[in-house]
mmCIF file of all heavy atoms in Angstrom:
data_model
loop_
_atom_site.group_PDB
_atom_site.id
_atom_site.type_symbol
_atom_site.label_atom_id
_atom_site.label_comp_id
_atom_site.label_asym_id
_atom_site.label_seq_id
_atom_site.Cartn_x
_atom_site.Cartn_y
_atom_site.Cartn_z
ATOM 1 N N TYR B 166 -4.895 30.352 -11.283
ATOM 2 C CA TYR B 166 -5.290 30.062 -12.668
ATOM 3 C C TYR B 166 -6.602 30.770 -13.016
ATOM 4 O O TYR B 166 -6.691 31.458 -14.040
ATOM 5 C CB TYR B 166 -5.441 28.546 -12.857
ATOM 6 C CG TYR B 166 -6.254 28.190 -14.069
ATOM 7 C CD1 TYR B 166 -5.736 28.372 -15.351
ATOM 8 C CD2 TYR B 166 -7.554 27.694 -13.948
ATOM 9 C CE1 TYR B 166 -6.483 28.078 -16.464
ATOM 10 C CE2 TYR B 166 -8.306 27.400 -15.061
ATOM 11 C CZ TYR B 166 -7.777 27.591 -16.322
ATOM 12 O OH TYR B 166 -8.519 27.315 -17.427
ATOM 13 N N LEU B 167 -7.607 30.617 -12.147
ATOM 14 C CA LEU B 167 -8.919 31.191 -12.447
ATOM 15 C C LEU B 167 -8.868 32.717 -12.536
ATOM 16 O O LEU B 167 -9.454 33.324 -13.420
ATOM 17 C CB LEU B 167 -9.930 30.771 -11.378
ATOM 18 C CG LEU B 167 -10.363 29.303 -11.447
ATOM 19 C CD1 LEU B 167 -11.107 28.898 -10.181
ATOM 20 C CD2 LEU B 167 -11.233 29.047 -12.663
ATOM 21 N N MET B 168 -8.107 33.322 -11.601
ATOM 22 C CA MET B 168 -8.025 34.791 -11.575
ATOM 23 C C MET B 168 -7.346 35.343 -12.829
ATOM 24 O O MET B 168 -7.555 36.479 -13.197
ATOM 25 C CB MET B 168 -7.202 35.276 -10.369
ATOM 26 C CG MET B 168 -7.742 34.880 -9.039
ATOM 27 S SD MET B 168 -9.308 35.669 -8.762
ATOM 28 C CE MET B 168 -9.829 34.879 -7.275
ATOM 29 N N ASN B 169 -6.455 34.536 -13.425
ATOM 30 C CA ASN B 169 -5.697 35.031 -14.579
ATOM 31 C C ASN B 169 -6.270 34.585 -15.910
ATOM 32 O O ASN B 169 -5.647 34.757 -16.938
ATOM 33 C CB ASN B 169 -4.236 34.568 -14.483
ATOM 34 C CG ASN B 169 -3.489 35.361 -13.452
ATOM 35 O OD1 ASN B 169 -3.312 36.561 -13.611
ATOM 36 N ND2 ASN B 169 -3.107 34.722 -12.373
ATOM 37 N N SER B 170 -7.449 33.976 -15.864
ATOM 38 C CA SER B 170 -7.921 33.358 -17.103
ATOM 39 C C SER B 170 -9.137 34.039 -17.704
ATOM 40 O O SER B 170 -9.857 33.422 -18.460
ATOM 41 C CB SER B 170 -8.254 31.894 -16.852
ATOM 42 O OG SER B 170 -7.125 31.247 -16.375
ATOM 43 N N TYR B 171 -9.376 35.284 -17.349
ATOM 44 C CA TYR B 171 -10.507 35.959 -17.981
ATOM 45 C C TYR B 171 -10.115 36.378 -19.389
ATOM 46 O O TYR B 171 -8.995 36.804 -19.632
ATOM 47 C CB TYR B 171 -10.948 37.162 -17.155
ATOM 48 C CG TYR B 171 -11.422 36.743 -15.794
ATOM 49 C CD1 TYR B 171 -10.709 37.062 -14.658
ATOM 50 C CD2 TYR B 171 -12.561 35.955 -15.668
ATOM 51 C CE1 TYR B 171 -11.128 36.625 -13.413
ATOM 52 C CE2 TYR B 171 -12.986 35.512 -14.433
ATOM 53 C CZ TYR B 171 -12.268 35.851 -13.304
ATOM 54 O OH TYR B 171 -12.676 35.411 -12.088
ATOM 55 N N ASN B 172 -11.075 36.212 -20.286
ATOM 56 C CA ASN B 172 -10.898 36.644 -21.673
ATOM 57 C C ASN B 172 -9.702 36.025 -22.388
ATOM 58 O O ASN B 172 -9.065 36.660 -23.202
ATOM 59 C CB ASN B 172 -10.784 38.164 -21.756
ATOM 60 C CG ASN B 172 -11.999 38.816 -21.160
ATOM 61 O OD1 ASN B 172 -13.114 38.346 -21.359
ATOM 62 N ND2 ASN B 172 -11.786 39.867 -20.394
ATOM 63 N N LEU B 173 -9.378 34.790 -22.034
ATOM 64 C CA LEU B 173 -8.355 34.098 -22.817
ATOM 65 C C LEU B 173 -9.081 33.319 -23.903
ATOM 66 O O LEU B 173 -10.291 33.159 -23.861
ATOM 67 C CB LEU B 173 -7.545 33.155 -21.922
ATOM 68 C CG LEU B 173 -6.672 33.836 -20.877
ATOM 69 C CD1 LEU B 173 -5.872 32.818 -20.103
ATOM 70 C CD2 LEU B 173 -5.718 34.833 -21.535
ATOM 71 N N ASP B 174 -8.308 32.816 -24.866
ATOM 72 C CA ASP B 174 -8.995 32.215 -25.995
ATOM 73 C C ASP B 174 -9.338 30.737 -25.781
ATOM 74 O O ASP B 174 -9.659 30.026 -26.707
ATOM 75 C CB ASP B 174 -8.186 32.414 -27.286
ATOM 76 C CG ASP B 174 -6.778 31.894 -27.135
ATOM 77 O OD1 ASP B 174 -6.448 31.438 -26.027
ATOM 78 O OD2 ASP B 174 -6.024 31.932 -28.114
ATOM 79 N N TYR B 175 -9.247 30.256 -24.574
ATOM 80 C CA TYR B 175 -9.692 28.884 -24.322
ATOM 81 C C TYR B 175 -10.472 28.875 -23.028
ATOM 82 O O TYR B 175 -10.363 29.777 -22.207
ATOM 83 C CB TYR B 175 -8.485 27.940 -24.219
ATOM 84 C CG TYR B 175 -7.502 28.361 -23.150
ATOM 85 C CD1 TYR B 175 -7.716 28.023 -21.813
ATOM 86 C CD2 TYR B 175 -6.391 29.117 -23.481
ATOM 87 C CE1 TYR B 175 -6.822 28.446 -20.833
ATOM 88 C CE2 TYR B 175 -5.504 29.540 -22.518
ATOM 89 C CZ TYR B 175 -5.719 29.196 -21.196
ATOM 90 O OH TYR B 175 -4.855 29.606 -20.235
ATOM 91 N N LEU B 176 -11.255 27.839 -22.847
ATOM 92 C CA LEU B 176 -12.076 27.743 -21.650
ATOM 93 C C LEU B 176 -11.929 26.321 -21.119
ATOM 94 O O LEU B 176 -12.092 25.357 -21.836
ATOM 95 C CB LEU B 176 -13.528 28.015 -22.069
ATOM 96 C CG LEU B 176 -14.508 28.513 -21.037
ATOM 97 C CD1 LEU B 176 -13.977 29.749 -20.358
ATOM 98 C CD2 LEU B 176 -15.823 28.838 -21.700
ATOM 99 N N SER B 177 -11.575 26.204 -19.832
ATOM 100 C CA SER B 177 -11.383 24.860 -19.290
ATOM 101 C C SER B 177 -12.629 24.380 -18.548
ATOM 102 O O SER B 177 -12.850 24.769 -17.410
ATOM 103 C CB SER B 177 -10.207 24.848 -18.328
ATOM 104 O OG SER B 177 -9.037 25.018 -19.029
ATOM 105 N N TYR B 178 -13.424 23.575 -19.239
ATOM 106 C CA TYR B 178 -14.611 22.996 -18.588
ATOM 107 C C TYR B 178 -14.190 21.956 -17.556
ATOM 108 O O TYR B 178 -14.944 21.594 -16.678
ATOM 109 C CB TYR B 178 -15.534 22.370 -19.628
ATOM 110 C CG TYR B 178 -16.151 23.392 -20.525
ATOM 111 C CD1 TYR B 178 -15.591 23.696 -21.753
ATOM 112 C CD2 TYR B 178 -17.283 24.095 -20.115
ATOM 113 C CE1 TYR B 178 -16.135 24.674 -22.560
ATOM 114 C CE2 TYR B 178 -17.826 25.077 -20.913
ATOM 115 C CZ TYR B 178 -17.259 25.354 -22.142
ATOM 116 O OH TYR B 178 -17.795 26.333 -22.916
ATOM 117 N N PHE B 179 -12.955 21.513 -17.738
ATOM 118 C CA PHE B 179 -12.349 20.514 -16.891
ATOM 119 C C PHE B 179 -12.453 20.894 -15.401
ATOM 120 O O PHE B 179 -12.648 20.043 -14.544
ATOM 121 C CB PHE B 179 -10.887 20.431 -17.334
ATOM 122 C CG PHE B 179 -10.030 19.552 -16.505
ATOM 123 C CD1 PHE B 179 -10.291 18.199 -16.437
ATOM 124 C CD2 PHE B 179 -8.959 20.070 -15.800
ATOM 125 C CE1 PHE B 179 -9.486 17.379 -15.673
ATOM 126 C CE2 PHE B 179 -8.159 19.267 -15.036
ATOM 127 C CZ PHE B 179 -8.434 17.905 -14.968
ATOM 128 N N ILE B 180 -12.382 22.190 -15.136
ATOM 129 C CA ILE B 180 -12.382 22.656 -13.749
ATOM 130 C C ILE B 180 -13.691 22.258 -13.034
ATOM 131 O O ILE B 180 -13.705 22.040 -11.830
ATOM 132 C CB ILE B 180 -12.120 24.187 -13.684
ATOM 133 C CG1 ILE B 180 -11.776 24.646 -12.269
ATOM 134 C CG2 ILE B 180 -13.278 25.006 -14.184
ATOM 135 C CD1 ILE B 180 -10.348 24.986 -12.084
ATOM 136 N N ILE B 181 -14.775 22.116 -13.812
ATOM 137 C CA ILE B 181 -16.067 21.744 -13.205
ATOM 138 C C ILE B 181 -15.972 20.350 -12.583
ATOM 139 O O ILE B 181 -16.577 20.067 -11.561
ATOM 140 C CB ILE B 181 -17.198 21.766 -14.259
ATOM 141 C CG1 ILE B 181 -17.293 23.163 -14.865
ATOM 142 C CG2 ILE B 181 -18.538 21.364 -13.648
ATOM 143 C CD1 ILE B 181 -18.236 23.262 -16.024
ATOM 144 N N LEU B 182 -15.188 19.489 -13.229
ATOM 145 C CA LEU B 182 -15.051 18.124 -12.718
ATOM 146 C C LEU B 182 -14.217 18.101 -11.434
ATOM 147 O O LEU B 182 -14.386 17.235 -10.581
ATOM 148 C CB LEU B 182 -14.365 17.231 -13.757
ATOM 149 C CG LEU B 182 -15.099 17.070 -15.078
ATOM 150 C CD1 LEU B 182 -14.244 16.286 -16.055
ATOM 151 C CD2 LEU B 182 -16.421 16.343 -14.843
ATOM 152 N N ILE B 183 -13.312 19.064 -11.314
ATOM 153 C CA ILE B 183 -12.395 19.044 -10.169
ATOM 154 C C ILE B 183 -13.104 19.424 -8.871
ATOM 155 O O ILE B 183 -12.800 18.891 -7.810
ATOM 156 C CB ILE B 183 -11.224 20.025 -10.398
ATOM 157 C CG1 ILE B 183 -10.472 19.626 -11.658
ATOM 158 C CG2 ILE B 183 -10.264 20.019 -9.228
ATOM 159 C CD1 ILE B 183 -9.454 20.648 -12.069
ATOM 160 N N ILE B 184 -14.075 20.350 -8.985
ATOM 161 C CA ILE B 184 -14.673 20.892 -7.762
ATOM 162 C C ILE B 184 -15.282 19.824 -6.831
ATOM 163 O O ILE B 184 -14.968 19.808 -5.641
ATOM 164 C CB ILE B 184 -15.643 22.031 -8.112
ATOM 165 C CG1 ILE B 184 -14.792 23.203 -8.609
ATOM 166 C CG2 ILE B 184 -16.475 22.466 -6.917
ATOM 167 C CD1 ILE B 184 -15.550 24.308 -9.230
#
Side-chain angles (χ1 to χ4, degrees):
Chain B
Y166 161 72
L167 287 167
M168 300 295 172
N169 285 295
S170 302
Y171 298 111
N172 302 320
L173 293 183
D174 55 357
Y175 57 82
L176 204 54
S177 290
Y178 293 95
F179 174 63
I180 194 107
I181 301 173
L182 298 174
I183 301 171
I184 290 169

